[in-house]
Amino acid sequence: MLHANSLAINKNKVLLFKTTIYNKLSSMIKKKISFVLILFVFIVSGSSQNEKPNHSTQGREHLLMDFNWRFAFGSANDYAKDFTTGTSYFTYFAKTGYGDGAAAPQFKDSTWREVDLPHDWAVELPFSGSASHSHGYKTIGWKYPDSSVGWYRKKFDIPASDLGRKISLQFDGIFRNSTVWVNGFYVGHEQSGYASSVYDITDYLNYGQENTVAVRVDASIEEGWFYEGAGIYRHVWLNKTDRLHVAQYGTFVTTELNGENAELTVRTKVQNQHAQNATFAVEQTLIDANNQNVVTKKIENVTLNGNLNKTYFQKINVEKPTLWSLENPYLYKLKTCIIAEGKVVDTYITNIGIRTVRFDPNLGFFLNGKSVKIKGTNDHQDHAGVGTAIPDALQEFRIKKLKEMGSNAIRTSHNPPTPEFLDACDRLGMLVLDENRLMGIDQEHFDLLKRFMVRDRNHPSIVLWSLGNEEWAIESNEKGARITKTMQEFAQKVDSSRAFTVAVSGGWDNGSGKTAQVMGYNYIVQGDIDEHHKKFPWQCGIGTEESNTIGTRGVYVDDKENGRMAATNRMPENVGTESGWKFYVARPFLSGLFFWTGFDYRGEANPLSWPAVNSEFGLMDLCGFPKDIFYYLKSWWGTKPVMHIMPHWNWKGSEGKTIKVTIYSNAEEVELLLNGKSLGKKTMEKNGHLEWDVTYKPGNLVAKGFVKGKLTVSEKVETTDVPAKIALSADRLKLDADGEDVAVITVQLTDLKNRMVPTACNEIQFSLAGPGKIIGVGNGDPASHEPEQFVETASNPTPQWKRRVFNGLAQIIVKTTKQAGEITLTASSEDMAPVTILLNSKTVIDQ
């Protein structure tokens, strides 16, 4: 029988053998160094490349690691259920490389479930009235130890030719309290569910052999007070570089405009991870959107000692650049090459937008010297069907829905977002208030703050940093003033090109409101903004949160016992979307505002509770289906003619009763007609709405809008017949066969005349054929307890996907595989003919 000491000795012999092989291979590589000097690098830096960055070249590689993981539940309080990890005689904290249980490379995970990333296991869990109200009553958290810890494992190969390079694992976000092992080596731990983490695994790898990464995720403790999901819900990457390279997120570009020209200041952090000194050049080329070189600058004969890093500065003058703006979000690429011994050893791509931003205490916000009123929403990272594991294409879908309303800004409430969200904002022209998760002045807080700012600071969409939100213990006292000042001074060293705010919900004159560069007002009912501005005339101001008119999509009579309510203003003071917008638009010194929220989200069902499981604060529901109040803002934030009538006109049994009809429009005058008979014409107040009291008769309501006496827009609602047909439509019909792309499909129930039935709630069943898969379903009902995902199991390998429509609508999300071809989705319901929609996925050609 072998004792523990004998096992350790045998393992040491194996390690000694591996070390010997490593040294011999390193010597061989050094003698043939010319084979590995030409390196071409593409990596996400600040604003990342638009194409899927799975680049395999002679140099740096940025490889997507989202596929073919294994997943199983562990336990938060039972070591046996947690695969006995950490119970060995020598734990991974006692001896390097001694990962045991599920952290051991030899652990058998063949019975674990196969998953691809991003993955949110919380969205798969059932609901319970005893679970957390703030997190949507999902059975996760400290009360549920057996569904609050998840394990992920993945096998991956590293070729022998990679020996001598620097290799790291990058996790863009794991919720939360994650621990990572590679080949049994403990490589790191991250408590926050919103921080990107990068681990150097160079010396832990088996070159020319198989490797294993294991990740334990513990979501027992909540980090926020809203649904946060659970698991590896953002992308994972494997990064490979030469030992002389630009550091990750190592470029930082700022802009100054001089008339029609621009001067770029480029800071480039270079790492020399060789033991010996390196002499090299830093060459930087600005490339326009047509892939044409604009200008090239070069720093020659730079020497950097071994195992050190240094930041180099360079000025680049650009004649008549195309500026990044809301109307034309033009992006350049900055290509940084590290050249040693006459050869390129590293090439690093940074997407940038040339633009300037400033906040003025009296005149508000300016983009490229032009005044812009910020018309924003707060948004959590949460969507129907998928929870927090939002595919990249779905991020873009959500941003486009907000732009359709006329919005030009998003506050990332209340945490740093995924990088792909910021990429989409850069491409689409959406301003961002990028928010830190938690305030504090110790090293851990500073580290988290710096990491997210360094990661994000090249994104032109970001115009303002937020240091924190509603820190009630400090926001209205002297500690808050001190902490805000200290954090602001620290953060300015990371980025002095943007201003900083803190979102404060009260005590504006006494705490953080005394020291923040830009005062963040949460809700006009919480104080006197005009008086605060008089006391602090040097301070810029913005509405970081403001009340929406809240309620359930398509519901016009309260049904609070069943978790649904008619549209109402949130605050006792009757502040809602209209009054909030009128307040801010009337004050030039206020830069704008962010309504709470753009979309409904899971959790915080206030003022309701179980059976309600989602918030109802959104201008859209959890699927992104607009509520009526969406059209109020579209009327006054957008530029196109708008006419919207609420409510619907299906009120069987209410004949002869009075119904309030509300019109949202930007027409100067509106005429309302019932069954062809005019009910009068009214003048529209700017930033207002119109109302009529109408005696209900089945038929149709028509609203006509006039500008200068001419008909410019009209809208009609009709009394429909019963549901008889299913209609399917997709946001996109052509997809990439990359295993990541998605189509968002709207399911609508209509009558025989193809009119949507606004009260329909029939169940729809779905089936899919071709190289794709369904990843989630939803309907926007804030009190629905139906499953949003149907997980394949050994006992049920082909589960039946289904969902009820809610007030006529439902949504289904289809993802591609890596195989190209036609994907056919079929929807069917009792007493209705099945219908299909055809999607086409095409092969992705790496660039």
Side-chain angles (χ1 to χ4, degrees):
M1 178 178 178
L2 288 173
H3 295 282
N5 286 342
S6 300
L7 288 172
I9 291 170
N10 288 336
K11 287 184 178 179
N12 285 337
K13 288 180 179 178
V14 173
L15 290 171
L16 179 62
F17 174 75
K18 288 184 176 180
T19 301
T20 303
I21 295 298
Y22 175 91
N23 290 337
K24 288 184 178 180
L25 284 171
S26 297
S27 177
M28 292 168 64
I29 289 172
K30 287 177 181 177
K31 291 178 181 178
K32 298 188 177 183
I33 193 70
S34 59
F35 288 103
V36 294
L37 277 175
I38 302 177
L39 309 178
F40 300 96
V41 184
F42 297 88
I43 186 165
V44 176
S45 168
S47 180
S48 64
Q49 292 181 230
N50 297 342
E51 55 270 14
K52 283 290 180 186
N54 217 20
H55 301 287
S56 298
T57 65
Q58 285 181 296
R60 182 182 304 210
E61 299 173 70
H62 188 57
L63 305 174
L64 193 63
M65 293 275 283
D66 283 358
F67 304 104
N68 304 316
W69 289 75
R70 294 279 184 169
F71 171 78
F73 284 113
S75 177
N77 65 0
D78 188 330
Y79 277 97
K81 292 182 180 179
D82 208 38
F83 309 105
T84 68
T85 309
T87 64
S88 296
Y89 186 86
F90 291 113
T91 71
Y92 57 90
F93 282 133
K95 296 289 183 181
T96 299
Y98 270 54
D100 61 340
Q106 67 272 18
F107 178 84
K108 302 298 183 183
D109 58 18
S110 58
T111 61
W112 288 17
R113 176 179 147 209
E114 293 184 15
V115 298
D116 291 334
L117 307 180
H119 176 237
D120 172 7
W121 84 68
V123 77
E124 305 168 1
L125 297 175
F127 298 93
S128 170
S130 63
S132 170
H133 169 82
S134 69
H135 282 58
Y137 294 98
K138 284 290 188 176
T139 50
I140 193 169
W142 63 270
K143 293 182 182 178
Y144 305 94
D146 292 343
S147 58
S148 297
V149 170
W151 280 86
Y152 296 84
R153 286 171 55 90
K154 177 179 172 63
K155 305 286 187 181
F156 62 102
D157 293 326
I158 295 291
S161 58
D162 279 345
L163 188 63
R165 304 170 81 182
K166 295 298 289 186
I167 301 178
S168 62
L169 267 176
Q170 174 184 329
F171 296 88
D172 285 343
I174 305 173
F175 194 86
R176 64 175 295 276
N177 195 16
S178 60
T179 308
V180 180
W181 296 263
V182 171
N183 296 331
F185 289 88
Y186 166 71
V187 299
H189 174 248
E190 176 56 65
Q191 289 197 74
S192 177
Y194 303 102
S196 296
S197 301
V198 181
Y199 301 110
D200 184 350
I201 61 173
T202 305
D203 297 336
Y204 302 138
L205 293 170
N206 303 319
Y207 292 88
Q209 300 176 50
E210 186 178 73
N211 296 266
T212 304
V213 55
V215 183
R216 183 182 187 271
V217 185
D218 188 346
S220 300
I221 298 177
E222 299 170 352
E223 195 167 344
W225 51 98
F226 40 85
Y227 178 84
E228 300 180 277
I232 308 179
Y233 71 98
R234 294 180 180 174
H235 294 304
V236 178
W237 308 91
L238 184 68
N239 299 324
K240 303 178 182 181
T241 70
D242 184 71
R243 288 179 177 258
L244 178 64
H245 60 270
V246 177
Q248 189 170 36
Y249 315 124
T251 55
F252 179 33
V253 185
T254 54
T255 302
E256 288 187 14
L257 297 181
N258 301 307
E260 293 184 330
N261 301 327
E263 182 183 70
L264 309 184
T265 300
V266 183
R267 305 150 186 86
T268 307
K269 183 178 180 180
V270 178
Q271 291 181 318
N272 178 17
Q273 294 178 310
H274 292 290
Q276 66 275 16
N277 296 353
T279 300
F280 55 93
V282 180
E283 181 182 85
Q284 293 177 311
T285 301
L286 189 68
I287 303 169
D288 67 18
N290 296 317
N291 211 32
Q292 299 297 308
N293 291 353
V294 176
V295 61
T296 297
K297 292 290 291 291
K298 194 173 184 179
I299 305 173
E300 300 274 13
N301 298 320
V302 176
T303 299
L304 183 59
N305 291 342
N307 292 316
L308 289 179
N309 62 73
K310 187 175 180 179
T311 299
Y312 300 91
F313 290 77
Q314 188 150 236
K315 299 282 189 180
I316 298 178
N317 293 312
V318 186
E319 294 184 1
K320 297 182 178 180
T322 302
L323 302 184
W324 187 94
S325 66
L326 297 173
E327 301 76 21
N328 181 27
Y330 192 94
L331 293 173
Y332 290 88
K333 291 181 181 178
L334 181 71
K335 182 173 73 172
T336 301
C337 295
I338 306 300
I339 304 169
E341 298 182 4
K343 296 182 178 180
V344 175
V345 297
D346 195 12
T347 304
Y348 192 90
I349 300 296
T350 310
N351 280 3
I352 64 168
I354 298 177
R355 58 97 180 102
T356 61
V357 298
R358 69 180 175 92
F359 287 83
D360 185 280
N362 298 310
L363 300 175
F365 172 69
F366 290 80
L367 176 65
N368 299 325
K370 296 179 181 178
S371 176
V372 174
K373 201 72 170 182
I374 289 176
K375 306 168 184 175
T377 62
N378 289 267
D379 289 296
H380 287 311
Q381 48 179 27
D382 184 13
H383 194 88
V386 296
T388 58
I390 301 177
D392 299 349
L394 186 55
Q395 300 277 12
E396 188 158 316
F397 169 87
R398 288 165 60 88
I399 296 166
K400 286 180 177 178
K401 294 296 291 186
L402 292 168
K403 286 181 68 70
E404 178 187 328
M405 185 179 68
S407 176
N408 62 16
I410 297 172
R411 177 179 173 222
T412 65
S413 312
H414 298 290
N415 49 263
T418 181
E420 289 72 25
F421 165 83
L422 295 174
D423 293 340
C425 289
D426 290 345
R427 293 193 304 272
L428 297 174
M430 179 68 81
L431 305 176
V432 175
L433 194 171
D434 204 359
E435 187 152 270
N436 180 48
R437 172 69 287 279
L438 190 64
M439 296 185 74
I441 59 169
D442 58 74
Q443 189 57 47
E444 182 177 2
H445 288 97
F446 280 164
D447 178 61
L448 288 169
L449 177 61
K450 182 177 181 180
R451 279 158 56 191
F452 110 84
M453 288 182 64
V454 168
R455 187 197 71 172
D456 294 352
R457 61 188 177 179
N458 281 317
H459 288 278
S461 56
I462 297 172
V463 297
L464 184 64
W465 300 108
S466 172
L467 298 173
N469 172 74
E470 289 189 356
E471 295 286 5
W472 294 326
I474 64 170
E475 67 176 4
S476 59
N477 58 45
E478 191 57 35
K479 288 182 181 176
R482 294 198 301 260
I483 291 171
T484 298
K485 182 175 183 292
T486 299
M487 290 185 72
Q488 201 164 249
E489 289 171 353
F490 172 85
Q492 283 180 303
K493 296 176 183 177
V494 182
D495 179 15
S496 60
S497 69
R498 298 176 177 91
F500 297 86
T501 188
V502 176
V504 183
S505 61
W508 295 337
D509 298 345
N510 302 313
S512 297
K514 292 168 59 176
T515 53
Q517 289 177 339
V518 178
M519 178 61 194
Y521 300 105
N522 275 16
Y523 307 106
I524 57 179
V525 300
Q526 298 295 92
D528 190 327
I529 291 178
D530 294 325
E531 281 301 311
H532 180 84
H533 182 57
K534 290 177 183 177
K535 290 180 182 179
F536 300 89
W538 55 268
Q539 192 177 52
C540 308
I542 191 167
T544 36
E545 288 181 26
E546 194 47 69
S547 297
N548 270 344
T549 300
I550 66 172
T552 310
R553 174 183 57 81
V555 170
Y556 301 98
V557 178
D558 279 345
D559 185 17
K560 294 182 179 180
E561 288 186 359
N562 291 309
R564 305 174 187 100
M565 57 184 175
T568 182
N569 288 336
R570 177 182 177 190
M571 298 290 189
E573 294 84 356
N574 200 34
V575 173
T577 309
E578 183 174 326
S579 54
W581 173 239
K582 285 180 174 178
F583 182 92
Y584 276 88
V585 76
R587 289 162 173 78
F589 72 88
L590 292 172
S591 303
L593 80 167
F594 296 86
F595 279 111
W596 189 265
T597 53
F599 299 85
D600 285 350
Y601 55 93
R602 293 172 179 82
E604 276 201 308
N606 309 330
L608 307 181
S609 58
W610 181 268
V613 295
N614 295 352
S615 83
E616 301 184 36
F617 302 132
L619 296 152
M620 291 173 275
D621 67 18
L622 193 61
C623 295
F625 296 133
K627 301 179 187 179
D628 295 299
I629 197 64
F630 173 100
Y631 296 96
Y632 167 78
L633 288 179
K634 186 174 183 179
S635 297
W636 302 113
W637 282 6
T639 57
K640 297 179 180 179
V642 175
M643 181 66 69
H644 179 75
I645 305 170
M646 67 173 280
H648 60 70
W649 211 238
N650 281 25
W651 297 101
K652 185 177 181 180
S654 294
E655 290 79 3
K657 294 182 180 179
T658 299
I659 293 177
K660 184 175 76 173
V661 174
T662 299
I663 302 295
Y664 294 131
S665 179
N666 49 14
E668 292 176 353
E669 293 181 300
V670 176
E671 182 182 18
L672 187 67
L673 300 94
L674 174 60
N675 297 330
K677 181 180 179 181
S678 177
L679 302 179
K681 184 184 287 189
K682 297 185 179 183
T683 300
M684 178 69 73
E685 174 196 0
K686 186 174 178 60
N687 297 310
H689 72 280
L690 294 173
E691 294 179 0
W692 275 263
D693 287 330
V694 180
T695 302
Y696 178 67
K697 287 183 181 180
N700 64 72
L701 275 176
V702 174
K704 297 181 178 180
F706 300 86
V707 176
K708 293 181 173 55
K710 293 184 178 180
L711 179 67
T712 58
V713 63
S714 66
E715 178 72 8
K716 178 169 70 172
V717 296
E718 297 181 87
T719 307
T720 71
D721 297 323
V722 298
K725 298 167 67 176
I726 305 169
L728 300 178
S729 59
D731 70 319
R732 299 158 61 228
L733 295 174
K734 295 181 179 180
L735 306 173
D736 290 336
D738 58 3
E740 299 266 334
D741 205 3
V742 299
V744 182
I745 297 169
T746 297
V747 184
Q748 180 175 281
L749 285 191
T750 71
D751 63 11
L752 289 174
K753 296 180 180 179
N754 297 319
R755 299 173 300 188
M756 189 190 88
V757 181
T759 56
C761 59
N762 306 55
E763 182 179 275
I764 312 293
Q765 295 185 336
F766 303 98
S767 61
L768 195 89
K773 55 186 176 182
I774 302 170
I775 62 169
V777 290
N779 61 15
D781 180 0
S784 174
H785 300 164
E786 297 174 89
E788 294 180 85
Q789 295 186 1
F790 294 83
V791 178
E792 296 177 6
T793 63
S795 60
N796 187 14
T798 56
Q800 175 64 62
W801 285 81
K802 58 187 178 180
R803 187 71 167 187
R804 289 186 178 275
V805 300
F806 176 65
N807 290 335
L809 297 171
Q811 186 177 87
I812 184 165
I813 302 171
V814 174
K815 186 164 76 168
T816 63
T817 67
K818 291 186 176 181
Q819 179 182 346
E822 291 186 346
I823 304 168
T824 303
L825 176 71
T826 301
S828 59
S829 186
E830 187 176 356
D831 298 328
M832 298 185 200
V835 297
T836 61
I837 189 170
L838 186 66
L839 309 173
N840 194 291
S841 67
K842 65 181 185 302
T843 302
V844 177
I845 300 175
D846 290 334
Q847 300 184 25

